[in-house]
């Protein structure tokens, strides 16, 4: 296959806030997403991460929660029990949004670190919609991307060890949409970064 015939990828930065370490016993309470950029055979083009976004707060799926995990987001589980979007409606709306913004491209979820957010996102997509617009493996971990480009062992990487020019100037607030936008900027900076040899 010639490189010119490869379908472009649309990178979507996703951040979730949850009340525990794994989905099922614990709940995803909010989901934020922002289009980071598009890559084709000619390269990567960043997007304005505030232009195409998605955000929902979800109704919890269980009574279990870890107080320390819940405290990180500051979300009110009792309020979400009545005001949160039912998970099926939230994930169907999210899937529709992903398909709309990625028209003509293959969507790729990206996160920092992707492992936590992807675990919740994929479980919720399959559990509540039966499918994932990203497929079963359409995710990219920004921490791994940085480690590979910088030639560093993965476990030595943290945002504090990255060059300042790669980091967003936005604050990390633990609000899922704020953090998805912040991490979309990190994603674009990483994609365009050419470390010195």
């Amino acid at each position: 296959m010639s490189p010119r015939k490869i379908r472009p990828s649309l990178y979507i930065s996703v951040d979730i806030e949850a009340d525990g370490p794994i989905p099922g016993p614990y709940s995803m309470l909010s989901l934020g997403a922002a289009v980071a950029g598009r890559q084709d055979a000619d390269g990567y083009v960043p997007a304005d991460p505030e232009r195409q976004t998605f955000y929902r707060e979800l109704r919890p799926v269980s009574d279990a929660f870890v107080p320390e995990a819940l405290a990180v987001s500051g979300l009110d589980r009792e309020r979400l029990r009545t005001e949160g979007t039912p998970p099926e409606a939230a994930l169907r709306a999210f899937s529709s949004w992903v398909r709309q913004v990625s028209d003509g491209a293959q969507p790729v979820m990206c996160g920092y670190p992707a492992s936590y957010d992807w675990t919740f996102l994929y479980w919720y997509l399959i559990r509540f919609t039966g499918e994932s617009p990203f497929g079963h493996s359409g995710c990219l971990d920004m921490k791994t991307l940085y480690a590979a480009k910088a030639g560093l062992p993965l476990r030595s990487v943290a945002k504090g060890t990255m060059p300042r020019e790669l980091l967003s100037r936005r604050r990390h607030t633990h609000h899922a949409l704020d953090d998805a936008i912040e991490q979309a900027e990190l994603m674009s900076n990483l994609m365009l970064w050419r470390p010195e040899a």
Side-chain angles (χ1 to χ4, degrees), residues 13-17 109-121 139-146 154-155 157-159 162 172 174 179 182-183 186 190:
S13 171
V14 173
D15 187 78
I16 68 102
E17 297 298 328
M109 175 273 191
C110 55
Y112 188 99
S115 53
Y116 182 76
D117 302 272
W118 176 254
T119 299
F120 274 89
L121 180 64
C139 66
L140 185 148
D141 176 43
M142 292 181 230
K143 189 173 181 176
T144 303
L145 177 62
Y146 172 74
L154 181 64
R155 296 305 292 265
V157 170
K159 284 184 182 174
M162 293 182 175
H172 193 80
H174 293 288
D179 293 352
E182 175 218 349
Q183 290 167 179
L186 173 61
L190 284 169

Side-chain angles (χ1 to χ4, degrees), residues 66-158:
V66 176
E68 296 82 5
L70 186 59
V72 170
S73 69
L75 291 166
D76 182 341
R77 277 180 54 90
E78 290 310 308
R79 179 184 64 81
L80 292 176
R81 282 183 191 281
T82 56
E83 297 176 18
T85 305
E88 182 176 357
L91 274 296
R92 288 198 185 287
F94 177 70
S95 291
S96 295
W97 177 81
V98 169
R99 289 186 175 96
Q100 176 195 346
V101 298
S102 62
D103 186 39
Q106 293 179 307
V108 177
M109 175 273 191
C110 55
Y112 188 99
S115 53
Y116 182 76
D117 302 272
W118 176 254
T119 299
F120 274 89
L121 180 64
Y122 187 71
W123 186 90
Y124 266 73
L125 284 165
I126 298 304
R127 171 69 180 81
F128 293 106
T129 74
E131 61 182 348
S132 165
F134 304 103
H136 69 276
S137 64
C139 66
L140 185 148
D141 176 43
M142 292 181 230
K143 189 173 181 176
T144 303
L145 177 62
Y146 172 74
K149 282 190 153 195
L152 294 171
L154 181 64
R155 296 305 292 265
S156 72
V157 170

